[in-house]
Amino acid sequence: MHSKKIITAGKKTTEAKKALIMIHGRGGSAEDILTLSNYLEVRDYALIAPQATGGTWYPYSFLMPPAQNEPWLSSALAVLKEITADVIADGISRENIYFLGFSQGACLTLEFVTRNADTYGGVVAFTGGLIGDKIYPENYTGNFGNTPVFIGTSNPDPHVPVERVRASEKILKEMGAEIKVNVYNNMGHTISQDEINLANELVFRK
């Protein structure tokens, strides 16, 4: 199970007006995902990156029935909930909290914010979709209040089918997100410069 092990960069949460919670992918690390901040317009943000136990947030594909990824999935979601509460307790309002994830971290990011929809600063998912063998609308509550959301993905991608990305887009849109999805032909399982540019333009410059 996951413990709240985090690495921070940028400003302290007690001094910053905005915070970005960055979620690494399977086999990645908090240190890895933090290096992305060098390419994002987040210089004045508090940067917070939790570390998954054993480098993975849940053991199987995000397309498996959620019960098969338990108790790890619930533990990962609980870590994000606790970090969000800590950021708010330090004086940063919910509408100034941003989320970003890559791959497994993007799936976890989307799952967390959609289960806890609210007006956030913004959400960036580099290759991800909502978690489960199918979409479970009953898990998702709240309203995004026009929170800007950007999802970028490859077609094809070895882990994340475009169909799941589009189904996730539909749910978030119905819940009030101002969402933009870009699908890149044969990009591979990576993050492109165009995705970085769009994340800055659509989310971090808002």
Side-chain angles (χ1 to χ4, degrees):
M1 298 274 277
H2 303 291
S3 57
K4 192 175 70 175
K5 180 186 174 188
I6 60 172
I7 297 186
T8 60
K11 290 196 168 184
K12 293 181 179 177
T13 48
T14 50
E15 298 169 358
K17 290 184 176 154
K18 296 181 176 183
L20 172 59
I21 299 169
M22 307 180 76
I23 316 300
H24 69 77
R26 189 189 299 271
S29 69
E31 290 93 342
D32 290 341
I33 198 78
L34 277 172
T35 63
L36 259 185
S37 65
N38 296 325
Y39 307 96
L40 302 170
E41 295 187 15
V42 294
R43 282 174 290 281
D44 295 328
Y45 290 53
L47 305 173
I48 302 153
Q51 175 63 51
T53 300
T56 187
W57 293 108
Y58 42 85
Y60 303 114
S61 163
F62 85 111
L63 297 170
M64 298 294 280
Q68 294 194 26
N69 275 313
E70 294 293 0
W72 296 95
L73 176 57
S74 290
S75 177
L77 292 167
V79 166
L80 293 191
K81 194 158 197 169
E82 193 174 337
I83 290 169
T84 303
D86 289 347
V87 170
I88 292 168
D90 280 343
I92 296 178
S93 60
R94 199 176 294 272
E95 60 265 26
N96 284 319
I97 299 175
Y98 296 71
F99 298 87
L100 176 150
F102 170 64
S103 190
Q104 189 188 57
C107 298
L108 183 62
T109 294
L110 291 171
E111 188 71 16
F112 174 77
V113 297
T114 312
R115 288 190 185 210
N116 302 276
D118 210 321
T119 305
Y120 298 110
V123 180
V124 175
F126 293 126
T127 312
L130 293 171
I131 292 172
D133 52 318
K134 61 180 183 176
I135 298 282
Y136 291 88
E138 64 272 19
N139 288 340
Y140 306 126
T141 57
N143 190 287
F144 283 107
N146 296 318
T147 296
V149 178
F150 171 66
I151 305 175
T153 196
S154 176
N155 184 26
D157 180 86
H159 305 290
V160 180
V162 169
E163 294 77 18
R164 177 55 58 89
V165 175
R166 290 300 186 188
S168 304
E169 176 188 21
K170 183 173 182 289
I171 292 280
L172 271 75
K173 196 168 192 176
E174 288 170 354
M175 293 176 67
E178 189 179 304
I179 187 164
K180 166 78 171 172
V181 172
N182 255 34
V183 178
Y184 300 85
N185 287 329
N186 300 305
M187 177 177 71
H189 197 68
T190 187
I191 301 171
S192 70
Q193 184 60 52
D194 192 66
E195 288 177 290
I196 295 284
N197 295 344
L198 282 168
N200 283 325
E201 177 188 335
L202 299 172
V203 177
F204 298 117
R205 281 189 204 140
K206 285 272 183 174

